[in-house]
Amino acid sequence: MSLKAGIVGLPNVGKSTLFNAITKKHILAANYPFATIDPNVGVVTVPDSRLTFLEQLYMPKSTVPTSFEFTDIAGLVEGASKGEGLGNKFLSHIREVDAIVEVVRCFLDENIIHVTGSVDPVRDMDIINVELVLADLEIVENRISKIEKKAQTTKDKEAILELETLKKCQEALLNNVPLRRIEFTEDESVLLKSFNFITAKPIIYVANVNEEDAVVGKNQFTEEVMNYASKENAGVIVMCAKLESELAELEESDKEIFLKEIGISHSGLDKLIFATYDLLGLQTFFTVGKDECRAWTFKKGTIAKKAAGLIHSDIERGFIKAEIMKYNDLEELKDEKKVQEAGKLYLEGKDYIMQDGDIVYFRFNV
């Protein structure tokens, strides 16, 4: 399952530094706007102690964690919706992602240029979000102008539904309300999917602070970000991108020691990865054995037959049953046979709704 989260923000807010930390790659992180010209894509593994336990239990030949993609997208400036800066390129790239991670500068540093001349997170968020609203509004109004006459003259049901739905979007966007905050019916949602509206995508804000404030977990700027985000029920992760980039160079054991020494329980990156995973409505099931222990990503609400298709289309096509153990049961009993003897090995049919932490063996016949 290929899912993408796009990292966006004004130039010089720490996007590329954060991306460096996430992917442990060293793309250009220069102190001037538009250092990132083309989107950079990195695959991120999701930290999961459950997979570590399964690996130790089964001692497989290989272990494959679950993952998704982060895309670092060129810095946005005011007027992007009208082509300013790298506007059109930025907007086309951001339409391709599933969720938005918006990095906001929440630190003072006279040595790092701010594109608008001063640090003001609310103003910065407004600049980005207004540009995204304007970009969606342009698409909505262009489409309305093309179908309005047809809907009115032919009374075609599909055309009428599309027109009414787009006018609903238009009203929201004209009032600077992102489409993620609007409730749509199932029919409306299906219709809007093809437009790939930016403001309909779920969003999480990263408040990028200095090292001292990362230990405290807040400053005067992060409070502003949290108040702003609360209006659309969006999450906020406070972190120091520079610190996270340095942590990414350490071995896992050294990282844990360092975090403990400076008084941080979990790295900001781990919090961001978990939060983005949850934002996309993702969960994990496992397949285990002597050959391979593997984590698989699925959307909440996925049925067993569809989950089988994530492994191979033949398994979905020939699906018979799913043998399922709960991770907690296996962790407690530490042996498959003991799980079965305890009556905790379940046979489920094709419509079983997969749960996070399920350990599955799919029976199939093609």
Side-chain angles (χ1 to χ4, degrees), residues 13-14 103-107 206-210 237 239-242:
V13 297
V103 183
V104 186
R105 179 168 169 174
C106 293
F107 64 89
V206 169
N208 187 19
V209 300
N210 60 31
I237 302 293
M239 71 163 73
C240 173
K242 183 173 178 289

Side-chain angles (χ1 to χ4, degrees), residues 288-303:
V288 297
K290 293 297 180 184
D291 287 332
E292 180 185 79
C293 284
R294 182 164 184 161
W296 300 86
T297 300
F298 67 97
K299 281 269 191 183
K300 291 177 185 176
T302 298
I303 61 172

Side-chain angles (χ1 to χ4, degrees), residues 129 133 136 172-173 175-182 199-200 232:
N129 294 339
V133 162
D136 280 351
L173 295 168
N175 286 294
N176 201 29
V177 177
L179 298 181
R180 73 179 70 89
R181 288 168 57 184
I182 305 302
T199 65
E232 53 182 314

Side-chain angles (χ1 to χ4, degrees), residues 328-340:
N328 290 341
D329 293 333
L330 183 59
E331 183 184 35
E332 179 187 348
L333 297 171
K334 297 180 173 58
D335 185 270
E336 276 189 30
K337 191 174 181 182
K338 289 180 180 178
V339 171
Q340 187 172 4

Side-chain angles (χ1 to χ4, degrees), residues 133-179:
V133 162
L134 290 173
D136 280 351
L137 183 60
E138 182 180 9
I139 290 175
V140 167
E141 292 185 335
N142 285 343
R143 182 60 183 166
I144 286 175
S145 67
K146 289 179 181 177
I147 66 161
E148 192 164 23
K149 189 173 182 181
K150 177 186 175 183
Q152 291 171 346
T153 56
T154 66
K155 304 298 180 184
D156 178 77
K157 286 184 180 180
E158 289 185 8
I160 291 170
L161 173 64
E162 183 177 358
L163 179 63
E164 289 175 349
T165 305
L166 289 173
K167 285 195 170 181
K168 185 175 177 178
C169 294
Q170 182 185 40
E171 182 182 2
L173 295 168
L174 285 170
N175 286 294
N176 201 29
V177 177
L179 298 181

Side-chain angles (χ1 to χ4, degrees), residues 164-223:
E164 289 175 349
T165 305
L166 289 173
K167 285 195 170 181
K168 185 175 177 178
C169 294
Q170 182 185 40
E171 182 182 2
L173 295 168
L174 285 170
N175 286 294
N176 201 29
V177 177
L179 298 181
R180 73 179 70 89
R181 288 168 57 184
I182 305 302
E183 286 189 22
F184 293 103
T185 66
E186 188 175 340
D187 287 343
E188 289 171 340
S189 297
V190 170
L191 188 151
L192 291 176
K193 196 169 285 187
S194 62
F195 289 95
N196 217 8
F197 288 125
I198 300 170
T199 65
K201 300 177 188 297
I203 190 168
I204 191 167
Y205 294 94
V206 169
N208 187 19
V209 300
N210 60 31
E211 293 183 29
E212 293 79 12
D213 292 334
V215 175
V216 178
K218 64 179 180 179
N219 61 25
Q220 74 271 28
F221 297 127
T222 64
E223 296 294 323

